[in-house]
Amino acid sequence: MELTRRAAMLTSAAIAASVNLPEAALAQETPRRGGVMTVHFATEQRILNPSLQASTGVYIVGGKIQEPLVDLDAAGNPAPCLAESWESSADGLTITFKLRQGVTWHDGRPFTSADVQFTAMEMWKKILNYGTAVQLFLEAVETPDAYTAVFKYSKPMPLGLLLRALPDLGYVSPKHIYEGTDIRQNPANTAPIGTGPFKFVQYERGQFIIAERNPNYWRPNLPYLDRVVWRVISDRSAAAAQMEAGQILYSPFSSLALSDLARLGRDPRFEVTTKGNEGNPRTNTLEFNFRNPILADIRVRKALAHAINIPFFIENFLSPEYAKLGTGPIPSVSTDFYPTTPMPQYPYDKAAAIRLLTEAGHRPGAGGVRFTLRLTPAPWGEDIGLFSTFIQQSLGEVGIRVEIVRLDAAGFLRTVYNDWNFDLATGWHQYRNDPAVSTTVWYRTGSPRGAPWTNQYGVADAEMDAIIDSAATELDPVRRKARYADFVRRGNSELLLWNPVEQLFLSAFSRKLRNHANTPRWGSSSWHDLWIAP
Amino acid sequence: MRILSLAGRRLAASLPSLLIILIGVFLLLQLAPGDTVDALLAQMGGGGDAATTAELRRFYGLDVSVPVQLGNYLWRLVRLDLGFSAIYGKPVSTVILERLPATLLLMSASLSFAFFFGLLFGVIAARRVNGWQDSVISTLGLLFYATPSFWFGLMAIVLFSVHLQWLPAGGMESIGEGFTGFTRVMDIASHFVLPTLTLGLIFLAIYLRIMRASMLEVLTLDFVRTARAKGLDETRIITRHVLRNAMLPMVTLIGLQAGTMLGGSVVVESVFSLPGLGRLAYEAVVQRDLNTLLGIVFISALLVIAVNFLVDLLYARLDPRIAREGS
């Protein structure tokens, strides 16, 4: 741990140094055509089609081959991609997309509104994770002509919500490939056919994926690159070595060890940055099992929060360059929804923690121990492991003994969200542009047992449910933002869940790359303008 | 030949143990919390609704009770069908066949490397026992044996790939170069140098110590003294009389370790990003892909049985007394 802490501090120095580089000088260079982009692919997925699975592991590959209706521009605003324009009816029940003309699939067939209709109804609404929730009230997609798709909803759909959801949940698949087949078993799931700048060539499991330039891409004279090669490297240290050996040019989403990221950040050949990851913020969570009577008492939950010194943790275990004090379930990078008024917080205050515990009737017993809790950390992310140890030691200081129960991914999800066999859990909450996509489900009651990252905590808060439901169908952007401020206030004051740390992923880039990290979801984006300097 | 019937009887006896192994692994994995759908949900990052999750469980055949799942599996196995892999979406037999070349290449290369040099250094150390050669060889052997293979592999990458840039840092062959024929063979060979050395050095250490000890033991036996008394020169005694007898423990060890190497190279495969069976098995456990894991266990068990059968035959060649025993 000592090593990681020191290394983390070095990262911050390295990142601070990289910010001062003369980026303007680079922007004046003329783009060079050709070259091969090589990417670190840490965790192999079962499928590569982003219309069927919404996760960064799929976008990092599928996002270059298939495209969404709407993408994000450099400032993080919805920008046209396969859809050129959109408008909503006044009642929010009809949303019309005008589609781009002259776009062809990689097999030569034209892209039309029929593809959008098929993908929306058969994939987004029925199979795509988070898509099924966002499109719950989608009744039909009408296609008055080949380049118009009209989405019909049975309840008002805020245009802003749909547009913020579509960059991730709006990838289109070809109808002629999937229609009449078993969608889950279609061979195109691992050999995707899209409209994107790169055409799928080959996937050798456990080794590599290759995609090559699409000569008929609709953006003229793009892409610059000849090919993209993803190398499957499961060992983090080996990936760092391959980066140094020049075999990979980009390692996305904090896939390397924190100590290696710090080392590479100091090396003039590499750039380690949070840039390009602003669209994928996450918060570290502390989840409480309300079925345990000790934790059902709000005084105890507040005491736990007061007992943990988050600024110290960020300063010494992570780095202020990519992590900061969390203030609630909506991270500060989400300017559209981040509350403008201060929300209830629980700053480090050991005396307050002890007072609250004593008030709640938990006096120190043998060895100064008030009670014992089991803490189950999620197995992904180095920071979660560090945080669980930090929680254990911090709570020990106020007389709470913590036993850490480590499980692998499947075991963690089953134990926490299905078997409810935990007291405390800690992991990540991934925020996806709009609180209605993947944030409110952590608080809303009614998720089926076993649904991961949802309210499986044995707590029902009627007021919270009412706030969430009204915000989800509120069409006025200003009132919508106010409702989500109510949501954060309610969540924080009842401390249904604690979001003490806010983080961005780190990317490691070779300094040869140009036009990289130029959008908030760059790792997932299509890389049509990426080029490599000699 | 008597040895054949002996080995045949061994072969028949290994069938029940194969069955016990398969059922054991199946039940053991049931004890791990979570199933392959949970693993998939973890990859997706959530957001799956109840209907989709239930459909997935049906799709992967997890909607029936454990005994029925086990029964289904064994019944398929009887028809030589290893089932469908949840992670890879294709038949398990195809998945394993794809991974077999890398595993076999790595295994045979490092075993032959370890066997050859273990033999050589073992003989040298035994002939110069307590001399400086013996000390150097024994110390190095101990060092290789004590070093964790992931560290060895990473250091080799740092030295030979990052700094010297002599050899590739990982992978099985150069991607997208379209090499054919001899160039391709050389390309693959260059990718296998470091993994082979990393995996082979540990086994080398074991073999050379076994060989040294067994040589020293055989050298004290009466027939060696007789050979010397006949006036044979030392090289002839070592190669014709001692080596053959001293090799029996080595052969036993190889028979035992062929199985370990098949599944035990997870670390080396991960460090060098090789698509082998070890990594496949590890992934299958993490992703709770029961069919794939059982398929690997089944194939590995078959290979171990086959190797042991060969070792039995080899014993008879090395030491004719074994074949004659009891007749």
Side-chain angles (χ1 to χ4, degrees), chain A residues 264-284:
Chain A
L264 294 179
R266 273 178 280 131
D267 191 320
R269 292 173 297 162
F270 306 104
E271 178 186 2
V272 175
T273 177
T274 58
K275 244 175 39 185
N277 295 328
E278 299 87 347
N280 291 310
R282 62 190 197 273
T283 61
N284 287 70

Side-chain angles (χ1 to χ4, degrees), chain A residues 44 46 54 129-130 408 414, chain B residues 38 43-47 287-288:
Chain A
E44 270 185 287
R46 298 186 193 186
N129 52 322
Y130 295 111
D408 67 0
R414 175 60 66 97
Chain B
D38 290 309
Q43 272 202 347
M44 296 194 325
Q287 300 238 17
R288 307 285 192 275

Side-chain angles (χ1 to χ4, degrees), chain A residues 11-144:
Chain A
T11 321
S12 57
I15 295 167
S18 71
V19 172
N20 297 326
L21 258 152
E23 300 278 334
L26 301 178
Q28 289 163 6
E29 290 173 288
T30 333
R32 193 178 71 105
R33 297 185 73 83
V36 180
M37 171 71 166
T38 41
V39 187
H40 175 200
F41 192 40
T43 317
E44 270 185 287
Q45 308 288 315
R46 298 186 193 186
I47 58 171
L48 299 176
N49 183 343
S51 316
L52 295 172
Q53 182 177 325
S55 67
T56 49
V58 170
Y59 300 142
I60 191 73
V61 181
K64 326 299 162 231
I65 298 161
Q66 291 180 249
E67 291 178 305
L69 284 181
V70 179
D71 207 344
L72 294 182
D73 65 11
N77 297 314
C81 193
L82 287 181
E84 283 187 309
S85 64
W86 41 81
E87 62 177 353
S88 171
S89 63
D91 57 5
L93 294 176
T94 304
I95 294 176
T96 307
F97 289 94
K98 286 283 175 196
L99 305 180
R100 193 172 296 280
Q101 306 198 9
V103 176
T104 52
W105 294 101
H106 292 155
D107 61 3
R109 299 275 208 104
F111 158 76
T112 66
S113 55
D115 296 309
V116 176
Q117 180 195 48
F118 179 82
T119 311
M121 296 309 291
E122 300 301 321
M123 296 181 172
W124 302 347
K125 190 175 165 62
K126 288 188 183 160
I127 297 175
L128 180 67
N129 52 322
Y130 295 111
T132 52
V134 168
Q135 308 293 2
L136 186 63
F137 301 114
L138 177 68
E139 294 277 278
V141 176
E142 289 169 5
T143 53

